[in-house]
Amino acid sequence: MKKHVKNNVYWVGKVDWELRKFHGEELSTHKGSTYNSYLIQEEKTVLIDTVWLPFAEEFVENLAGEIDLDKIDYIVINHGEIDHSGALPLLMKHIPDKPIYCTANAVKSLKGHYHQDWNFNVVKTGDRLDVGNGKELIFVEMPMLHWPDSMATYLTGDNILFSNDAFGQHLATEKLFNDEIDQCDLFYEAMKYYANILTPFSAILRKKLQEIAALNLPIEIIATSHGALWRENPLQIVEKYAQWAQDYRENQITVIYSTMWNGTKILAEKIAEGIQLADPDVTVKVFNIAKTDENDLITEVFKSKTVVVGSSTMGNSVLHPVAGFIHLMKGLKFRGKKAAAFGCYGWSGESVRIINELMKDAGFEIVAEGLRAQWNPDAEAQKAAVEYGKKIAMA
Ligand code: FEO
């Protein structure tokens, strides 16, 4: 069923309450998501984006219930990823000649996904498309935010920025707007989305935000492609993005580890105790990597100024959840964060050296030489861990 956005603009997307993993198994979505598609019914009828492939039939059926599909004049595809373009092949079976407006890179991704030679019309930043009644669409390329093909589309008159993935959240909601939903959910999911998807592109984002500001377009609604639309103070999420893109960190130190026989866990807790003793103001959190959702953990890393990483030594190396998580952090290209290592061992004890090497390679500044404890930490080793925590807090 369509929902009213503003004047002649409607939401015609899909709320996916069941979604728990996105990008295959890569990203947790505890609260589902939405695939937001929009219908503009001015003198010209425009469809902006579609929905994910499993919902293609439902989407086209619903759309055909709202309008005669032949009445669609233009289709705008802001981004070729399948969660937004998945219903396009089925829709195009009904209206095969309708023009599709997208970036040059989106033509590549759409052809790559669907192997169809549709009526593509390539647009660049600043290109305009008249939709009648004095309103126009203005296109803004958003390369690497988050794919090379991404763009945003702005509707003059109604002052709506259809931002696609940017400013979105994986959050299922029947309500459309930011002011209608739980604010904790909204901001947590917006931050999780940024931390897990957009962090590597922060430098590009900083420039793009300046470029969008220079266009001087009044923005009344930011109509994202996932989750709630920003209607109340819509620029608040732009301001958040500007903060998050500046090598974001809060006054938080996060201790993360994996452990075989709990020795490394004991060290983790004692290090946390030492950090808090030395700095009563800092927020300290402790997580067992193997028992924590990795995308929630990335969100904690995103908020941290220092990440303290621990592992038992096994097979002359680190435990695989630790190696895997450092690999994940490396891919997200965090900058301006510090790190330190710790771990228990029985025999050879290489884990701390390896964690230091991996964390340095992942872009973290190593602030201490590392703490090792052989066998189960006794009172003396636990005291050393508290002191190590104090040292990290002061670093
Ligand atoms: Fe929501 Fe990049 O797809």
Side-chain angles (χ1 to χ4, degrees), residues 22-23 79 81 83-84 146-147 164-165 193 226:
F22 190 80
H23 282 158
H79 173 34
E81 204 167 0
D83 52 324
H84 307 295
H146 69 118
W147 269 19
N164 197 263
D165 281 325
Y193 196 94
H226 297 292

Side-chain angles (χ1 to χ4, degrees), residues 5 9 22 30 42 63 118 121 142 146 151 169 188 196 240-241 252 305 308 315 331 363-364 373:
V5 175
V9 180
F22 190 80
H30 308 309
E42 296 293 348
L63 196 59
W118 291 317
N121 289 255
M142 307 266 275
H146 69 118
M151 73 168 183
Q169 332 91 45
Y188 179 77
N196 283 276
K240 285 277 179 211
Y241 267 46
Q252 176 172 329
K305 58 182 181 182
V308 191
F364 288 73

Side-chain angles (χ1 to χ4, degrees), residues 25-299:
E25 298 298 313
E26 278 296 299
L27 181 66
S28 62
T29 51
H30 308 309
K31 300 197 169 174
S33 192
T34 70
Y35 316 105
N36 298 340
S37 168
Y38 299 96
L39 192 64
I40 302 171
Q41 295 180 286
E42 296 293 348
E43 285 170 55
K44 298 290 185 186
T45 299
V46 185
L47 180 73
I48 298 188
D49 294 322
T50 71
V51 300
W52 188 28
L53 187 61
F55 305 106
E57 215 164 300
E58 179 182 340
F59 171 77
V60 173
E61 208 170 281
N62 284 344
L63 196 59
E66 299 294 346
I67 51 158
D68 176 355
L69 296 179
D70 278 327
K71 290 254 156 45
I72 295 174
D73 295 293
Y74 312 127
I75 298 164
V76 173
I77 294 292
N78 279 325
H79 173 34
E81 204 167 0
I82 296 167
D83 52 324
H84 307 295
S85 67
L88 200 52
L90 185 59
L91 179 67
M92 296 310 282
K93 280 188 181 163
H94 294 270
I95 46 173
D97 302 322
K98 295 290 176 176
I100 295 172
Y101 290 79
C102 63
T103 63
N105 276 329
V107 176
K108 288 182 198 164
S109 70
L110 292 170
K111 281 189 175 176
H113 280 127
Y114 306 117
H115 316 293
Q116 299 291 324
D117 217 0
W118 291 317
N119 177 9
F120 292 111
N121 289 255
V122 170
V123 294
K124 295 197 175 81
T125 296
D127 285 354
R128 289 165 180 257
L129 183 64
D130 195 338
V131 296
N133 296 327
K135 297 180 186 177
E136 285 180 312
L137 295 176
I138 303 176
F139 303 104
V140 184
E141 290 167 282
M142 307 266 275
M144 297 320 293
L145 298 173
H146 69 118
W147 269 19
D149 68 357
S150 300
M151 73 168 183
T153 299
Y154 178 79
L155 176 63
T156 66
D158 292 329
N159 303 334
I160 300 174
L161 181 71
F162 299 94
S163 62
N164 197 263
D165 281 325
F167 312 121
Q169 332 91 45
H170 283 306
L171 185 56
T173 167
E174 271 302 324
K175 306 264 193 204
L176 266 192
F177 296 105
N178 66 318
D179 49 284
E180 300 178 301
I181 63 170
D182 184 305
Q183 299 298 290
C184 290
D185 284 350
L186 174 70
F187 282 100
Y188 179 77
E189 294 301 336
M191 179 184 270
K192 181 176 175 180
Y193 196 94
Y194 188 99
N196 283 276
I197 293 177
L198 293 171
T199 300
F201 312 116
S202 289
I204 299 170
L205 184 70
R206 287 196 292 269
K207 273 195 208 147
K208 184 52 70 173
L209 290 177
Q210 286 170 359
E211 196 184 308
I212 294 173
L215 292 174
N216 236 347
L217 302 170
I219 294 174
E220 285 178 44
I221 294 175
I222 296 178
T224 63
S225 283
H226 297 292
L229 288 63
W230 299 88
R231 168 179 73 179
E232 186 187 78
N233 185 12
L235 294 182
Q236 64 180 309
I237 190 62
V238 181
E239 284 156 20
K240 285 277 179 211
Y241 267 46
Q243 287 172 15
W244 294 343
Q246 299 284 351
D247 299 337
Y248 184 72
R249 53 194 177 263
E250 297 177 9
N251 190 20
Q252 176 172 329
I253 298 179
T254 305
V255 183
I256 61 175
Y257 66 93
S258 189
T259 187
M260 288 174 72
W261 296 110
N262 284 345
T264 300
K265 173 187 171 180
I266 291 167
L267 293 182
E269 292 177 359
K270 289 294 165 187
I271 289 169
E273 210 178 295
I275 292 168
Q276 197 73 88
L277 279 172
D279 183 355
D281 294 330
V282 75
T283 297
V284 189
K285 295 187 185 178
V286 181
F287 297 96
N288 182 328
I289 298 169
K291 295 185 180 188
T292 310
D293 179 282
E294 61 188 14
N295 305 113
D296 289 331
L297 200 47
I298 284 293
T299 312

